[in-house]
């Protein structure tokens, strides 16, 4: 279902990544929000592990960039943010991001536009420390943030898991933090865990302070917001092929990175709904795990965007994988629009390659080379079975084609 030309109708646009992450979702969300005048951004998965870069040009020519983690990527467009029940909220990183936004001219009032679902799992310093300790041991990739660990902990120990609502109940939060501290002293017998275990009061005070800065809301509030906001963008994080249910396990995230949870949240919605699949003209991923089209020479082209994390290593790059992209679109279904970013790099090489399929059981890609960008995009659309509707030719804006 496409967006109606009549902007008096209510609409929701779901944006997700169709690869291994790093598909230009942030700026795509921001530009869609600007186009449809969205007043709310919904984070329907993931947590503080997101790194959605958005550049903007000011009237004085100054270029500003922010990497969104827990604020919605349309914050520059003055939209509010709803962190859903599927989100893992990290108070410490939230304040860090607020500090960065204030350096760009925002003030503390921007937190009043952030709503956290009372059922969202809260990531504590204990989850973070355990994640960082275990990362080098299991060697399947981690951002070291603790989002995955907080989710896993909630499945086994719901009684001591801190949820969004608990940020408003200091006594309950302290009790749960003490239980977490005791658990991780046994599960993670390292000095820094023990030190944090002795800092329950300090951690609780900080988290309660953060809870006082934002709005804690419930399911009824979400249903009301869903119907009151005329235009909403639902922002996914990470990419489809590192979803918790991906066949590339164990090199996956702990979150469902498909649009499934977003679609669950809007069940019964009577407005217009569309889904946008995001890819880059190349493929990338952070940390270990399969990247079938990986080519080290591409790192030299994209190293300006490369991120080297302490826990998940440096970014890796490969050619666009039309086979995996087509498979993603088929499995997700009901894709209305496709966005392709970073096309400005096509001329960095004499020829640009695309993986069409795989030759054998070893997974050797079959490539085709292109000299012209128009031929490349035509082949991409044919291979994945969907026209290209949103094009990124620079880091600051998107071009919309047949996007109604």
């Amino acid at each position: 279902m496409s967006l109606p030309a009549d902007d008096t109708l209510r609409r929701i646009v779901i944006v997700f990544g169709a690869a291994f992450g790093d598909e230009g979702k942030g700026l795509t969300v921001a530009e869609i929000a600007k186009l449809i005048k969205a007043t709310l951004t919904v984070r329907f998965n993931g947590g503080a592990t997101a790194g959605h870069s958005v550049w903007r040009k000011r009237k004085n020519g100054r270029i500003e960039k922010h990497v969104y983690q827990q604020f919605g990527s349309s914050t520059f467009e003055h939209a509010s943010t709803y962190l859903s029940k599927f989100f893992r909220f990290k108070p410490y990183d939230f304040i860090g991001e607020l500090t960065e936004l204030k350096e760009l001219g925002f003030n503390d009032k921007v937190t009043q536009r952030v709503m956290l679902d009372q059922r969202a799992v809260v990531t504590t310093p204990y989850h973070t420390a355990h994640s960082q300790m275990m990362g080098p041991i299991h060697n399947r990739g981690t951002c070291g943030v603790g989002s995955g660990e907080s989710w896993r902990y909630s499945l086994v120990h719901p009684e001591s898991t801190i949820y969004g609502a608990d940020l408003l109940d200091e006594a309950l939060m302290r009790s749960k933090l003490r239980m977490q501290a005791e658990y991780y002293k046994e599960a993670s017998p390292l000095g820094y865990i023990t030190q944090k275990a002795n800092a329950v009061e300090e951690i609780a005070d900080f988290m309660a302070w953060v809870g006082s800065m934002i709005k804690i809301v419930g399911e009824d509030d979400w249903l009301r917001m869903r119907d009151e906001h005329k235009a909403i963008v639902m922002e996914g994080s990470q990419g489809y092929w590192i979803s918790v249910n991906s066949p590339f396990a164990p090199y996956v995230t702990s979150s469902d990175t498909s649009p499934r949870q977003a679609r669950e949240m809007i069940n019964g919605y009577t407005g217009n709904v569309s889904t946008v699949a995001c890819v880059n003209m190349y493929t990338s991923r952070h940390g270990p795990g399969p990247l079938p089209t990986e080519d080290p020479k591409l790192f030299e082209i994209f190293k300006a965007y490369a991120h080297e994390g302490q826990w998940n290593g440096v970014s890796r790059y490969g050619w666009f994988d039309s086979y995996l992209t087509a498979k993603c679109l088929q499995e997700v279904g009901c894709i209305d629009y496709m966005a392709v970013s970073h096309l400005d790099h096509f001329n960095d090489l004499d020829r640009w390659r695309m993986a069409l399929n795989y030759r054998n059981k070893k997974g050797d890609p079959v490539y085709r080379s292109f000299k012209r960008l128009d031929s490349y995009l035509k082949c991409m659309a044919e291979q994945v079975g969907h026209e290209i509707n949103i094009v990124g030719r620079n880091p600051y804006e998107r071009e919309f084609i047949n996007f109604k």
Side-chain angles (χ1 to χ4, degrees):
M1 185 182 298
S2 61
L3 293 174
D6 183 356
D7 65 3
T8 63
L9 299 179
R10 294 180 301 124
R11 61 188 66 172
I12 290 178
V13 181
I14 302 169
V15 178
F16 81 103
F20 293 89
D22 190 24
E23 303 105 343
K25 297 182 293 294
L27 187 57
T28 300
V29 166
E31 289 287 281
I32 290 175
K34 185 190 301 183
L35 180 70
I36 69 173
K37 299 180 176 62
T39 50
L40 179 66
T41 304
V42 179
R43 292 291 305 278
F44 63 84
N45 67 353
T49 52
H52 295 176
S53 298
V54 177
W55 285 262
R56 67 173 178 177
K57 281 186 177 180
R58 306 303 296 265
K59 291 182 179 179
N60 61 6
R62 179 183 175 186
I63 298 173
E64 295 179 337
K65 174 189 175 184
H66 180 69
V67 180
Y68 287 99
Q69 295 179 298
Q70 298 185 95
F71 286 80
S73 290
S74 54
T75 298
F76 279 162
E77 305 305 317
H78 305 289
S80 299
T81 298
Y82 170 51
L83 306 175
S84 74
K85 65 180 180 180
F86 297 113
F87 191 82
R88 295 86 181 264
F89 180 64
K90 189 175 182 183
Y92 282 84
D93 287 6
F94 181 80
I95 295 302
E97 185 173 0
L98 172 62
T99 301
E100 294 172 357
L101 285 170
K102 289 167 72 174
E103 292 175 355
L104 296 176
F106 290 88
N107 56 38
D108 286 334
K109 290 183 178 180
V110 72
T111 64
Q112 297 174 11
R113 302 206 305 264
V114 177
M115 292 153 285
L116 174 67
D117 194 284
Q118 61 186 10
R119 298 160 293 179
V121 170
V122 175
T123 300
T124 72
Y126 305 117
H127 302 130
T128 301
H130 185 75
S131 172
Q132 293 174 0
M133 185 198 77
M134 295 302 295
I137 297 175
H138 62 57
N139 196 34
R140 59 176 179 263
T142 179
C143 294
V145 171
S147 294
E149 177 59 23
S150 62
W151 171 74
R152 284 184 283 270
Y153 184 91
S154 71
L155 298 179
V156 181
H157 303 285
E159 74 288 347
S160 55
T161 294
I162 296 177
Y163 299 96
D166 299 335
L167 297 178
L168 302 180
D169 188 336
E170 292 190 43
L172 178 59
M173 186 163 52
R174 282 179 168 80
S175 174
K176 289 186 173 184
L177 281 169
R178 291 189 186 98
M179 286 189 277
Q180 288 189 19
E182 289 303 313
Y183 171 81
Y184 281 110
K185 276 202 295 187
E186 297 296 326
S188 308
L190 291 181
Y192 57 83
I193 297 281
T194 303
Q195 287 180 344
K196 291 181 186 299
N198 297 327
V200 166
E201 299 298 321
E202 176 185 337
I203 295 172
D205 288 344
F206 182 88
M207 292 171 60
W209 172 61
V210 175
S212 70
M213 299 176 68
I214 60 179
K215 297 178 182 178
I216 310 297
V217 299
E219 178 70 11
D220 289 343
D221 297 299
W222 157 240
L223 295 176
R224 175 183 53 78
M225 288 188 289
R226 192 184 74 175
D227 292 333
E228 288 181 353
H229 286 268
K230 190 170 69 174
I232 299 172
V233 181
M234 303 190 76
E235 178 178 3
S237 66
Q238 301 175 300
Y240 182 79
W241 291 113
I242 60 169
S243 185
V244 63
N245 298 316
S246 169
F248 292 112
Y251 302 101
V252 297
T253 186
S254 60
S255 178
D256 184 343
T257 60
S258 76
R260 184 190 64 81
Q261 292 173 165
R263 291 170 174 174
E264 176 185 324
M265 291 176 63
I266 59 176
N267 182 39
Y269 178 72
T270 57
N272 202 283
V273 177
S274 57
T275 301
V276 179
C278 295
V279 295
N280 278 328
M281 65 172 295
Y282 56 88
T283 309
S284 67
R285 75 174 297 168
H286 301 293
L291 182 58
T293 64
E294 184 171 9
D295 190 331
K297 73 180 180 183
L298 292 178
F299 180 83
E300 292 303 312
I301 297 176
F302 298 110
K303 62 183 178 183
Y305 305 104
H307 169 75
E308 183 170 5
Q310 181 179 357
W311 310 103
N312 60 353
V314 72
S315 302
R316 298 154 55 204
Y317 298 92
W319 304 101
F320 179 73
D321 193 324
S322 65
Y323 175 84
L324 284 182
T325 303
K327 188 172 177 61
C328 166
L329 302 191
Q330 291 167 5
E331 292 181 357
V332 169
C334 299
I335 302 299
D336 300 280
Y337 303 107
M338 181 172 169
V340 182
S341 301
H342 289 290
L343 294 177
D344 47 316
H345 288 285
F346 185 85
N347 292 325
D348 289 347
L349 293 172
D350 292 335
R351 291 177 178 270
W352 200 266
R353 303 173 78 189
M354 179 191 304
L356 304 182
N357 49 50
Y358 291 89
R359 181 175 292 109
N360 48 42
K361 292 182 179 180
K362 293 181 179 179
D364 295 329
V366 176
Y367 291 106
R368 179 179 172 186
S369 296
F370 299 84
K371 285 187 174 182
R372 294 170 54 92
L373 179 58
D374 56 350
S375 299
Y376 180 84
L377 293 177
K378 180 181 178 181
C379 181
M380 177 185 289
E382 291 173 350
Q383 288 294 119
V384 304
H386 202 288
E387 67 174 341
I388 297 169
N389 311 99
I390 306 172
V391 174
R393 301 180 189 273
N394 60 55
Y396 320 114
E397 57 192 356
R398 294 288 186 262
E399 174 186 348
F400 293 87
I401 307 167
N402 296 325
F403 189 96
K404 301 177 182 180

